[in-house]
Amino acid sequence: MNKKNRPHYDKERLPKHVAIIMDGNGRWAKKRHLPRQAGHKAGITALKRTIETIMELGIPVLTVYAFSTENWKRPADEVNHLMNLLRENLHNELSDLHENNIKLNILGDLQGMPAGLREELLKACETTAENTGLILNIALNYGGRNEIVRAVRAIAQQVKNGEFNVDEIDEITFGARLDTKGLPEPDLLIRTAGEMRISNFLLWQIAYTEIWVTDVLWPDFNEEVIFEAIDDYLKRDRRFGAAV
Ligand code: IPE
Ligand code: IPE
Ligand code: MG
């Protein structure tokens, strides 16, 4: 889309946090008689495009679902390929992310990631920790249930150590133990490739998130689709349980 033809949004009304379930890489490849790996590679390009558009719109937080706790069930060669793709892109893109003032965060159970990659991910987060631009959360070995269980364990341990009282446990103190601590909850959740399900993503955080599903497959995702999602989001009446 020509930059001049881009919609002009009132920044105040835009979502502060967009979360995306990037689905459909395999189907994109299948349609083209290509191996699934080609779909994942094209998916990375779509992610780069998306980060650019989100930054241009001035949306402060983007969270993308890259690998779920259930995705380990896939064949070993696909899992290995995804891990390699991640390592390669982390290497190639870190300086660009840093130059663009992006703060990288990983959501998910890093303990369950291969040790070498875990170290590199932690280093990348450290390198970009002081950046003040887009907060980019990548959900890796992430499951909403796993995240909640880890938070429960952390809180139980503190209670056991006498550092925290049971009556202090509430939605705020619990939320502060989740991987998304300190971040606003997603305003808009986008899922590509048409599936009407959450697949264990951000279970706690999406209590009042607006959900938008498109049939577009993730590798085909582009700024026009983002604008379509935002246009729809801006028409929603968010009531948070209150009377109309
Ligand atoms: C999303 O695409 C990428 C990951 C889950 C890692 P898929 O690989 O799930 O693509 P489909 O759903 O098989 O089309
Ligand atoms: C959700 O996609 C996970 C990611 C996008 C990383 P899946 O392809 O794993 O979800 P299901 O299996 O269709 O629910
Ligand atoms: Mg899928």
Side-chain angles (χ1 to χ4, degrees), residues 23-25 27 36 74 191 195:
D23 197 17
N25 293 352
R27 278 163 277 179
R36 291 176 65 83
R74 296 187 180 202
R191 181 166 186 145
E195 240 66 73

Side-chain angles (χ1 to χ4, degrees), residues 24-234:
N25 293 352
R27 278 163 277 179
W28 183 91
K30 196 169 180 202
K31 259 177 44 183
R32 287 164 178 74
H33 309 286
L34 293 169
R36 291 176 65 83
Q37 308 193 344
H40 295 315
K41 186 163 178 241
I44 297 271
T45 311
L47 176 57
K48 290 179 189 163
R49 275 201 298 272
T50 303
I51 294 171
E52 268 174 40
T53 307
I54 293 289
M55 278 177 44
E56 281 166 21
L57 288 168
I59 291 172
V61 187
L62 172 67
T63 300
V64 293
Y65 202 6
F67 194 86
S68 76
T69 45
E70 286 72 32
N71 287 148
W72 298 105
K73 294 177 196 163
R74 296 187 180 202
D77 62 342
E78 181 172 354
V79 171
N80 288 338
H81 175 77
L82 284 166
M83 295 297 150
N84 288 336
L85 208 57
L86 194 70
R87 184 174 290 124
E88 193 184 300
N89 276 280
L90 201 61
H91 267 276
N92 298 344
E93 305 300 327
L94 182 60
S95 58
D96 239 36
L97 291 179
H98 198 31
E99 271 164 34
N100 279 296
N101 199 20
I102 294 173
K103 178 177 171 166
L104 180 69
N105 248 334
I106 305 297
L107 312 184
D109 192 353
L110 270 176
Q111 290 312 316
M113 292 294 283
L117 185 52
R118 176 173 64 233
E119 294 313 315
E120 289 182 48
L121 287 163
L122 287 170
K123 224 178 98 206
C125 293
E126 222 175 90
T127 306
T128 62
E130 303 301 321
N131 288 347
T132 54
L134 175 72
I135 297 178
L136 173 64
N137 298 314
I138 304 187
L140 277 176
N141 191 26
Y142 177 87
R145 288 181 175 177
N146 171 277
E147 181 190 32
I148 290 168
V149 169
R150 283 186 287 112
V152 169
R153 279 174 179 251
I155 239 170
Q157 191 63 53
Q158 285 186 297
V159 170
K160 193 176 158 201
N161 297 348
E163 297 158 8
F164 204 67
N165 288 319
V166 169
D167 2 328
E168 289 175 290
I169 302 173
D170 59 22
E171 292 180 16
I172 308 235
T173 57
F174 187 75
R177 266 90 180 162
L178 294 171
D179 299 342
T180 49
K181 55 187 160 295
L183 299 173
E185 284 170 6
D187 298 298
L188 173 63
L189 170 66
I190 297 173
R191 181 166 186 145
T192 59
E195 240 66 73
M196 296 286 184
R197 57 176 172 254
I198 297 299
S199 303
N200 204 7
F201 194 37
L202 301 175
L203 298 181
W204 172 277
Q205 296 87 342
I206 58 167
Y208 273 100
T209 300
E210 296 297 327
I211 300 175
W212 190 81
V213 177
T214 175
D215 284 334
V216 170
L217 305 173
W218 176 251
D220 291 326
F221 196 76
N222 60 24
E223 62 175 16
E224 281 173 58
V225 190
I226 299 183
F227 298 148
E228 215 184 301
I230 288 176
D231 289 341
D232 197 60
Y233 168 83
L234 291 172

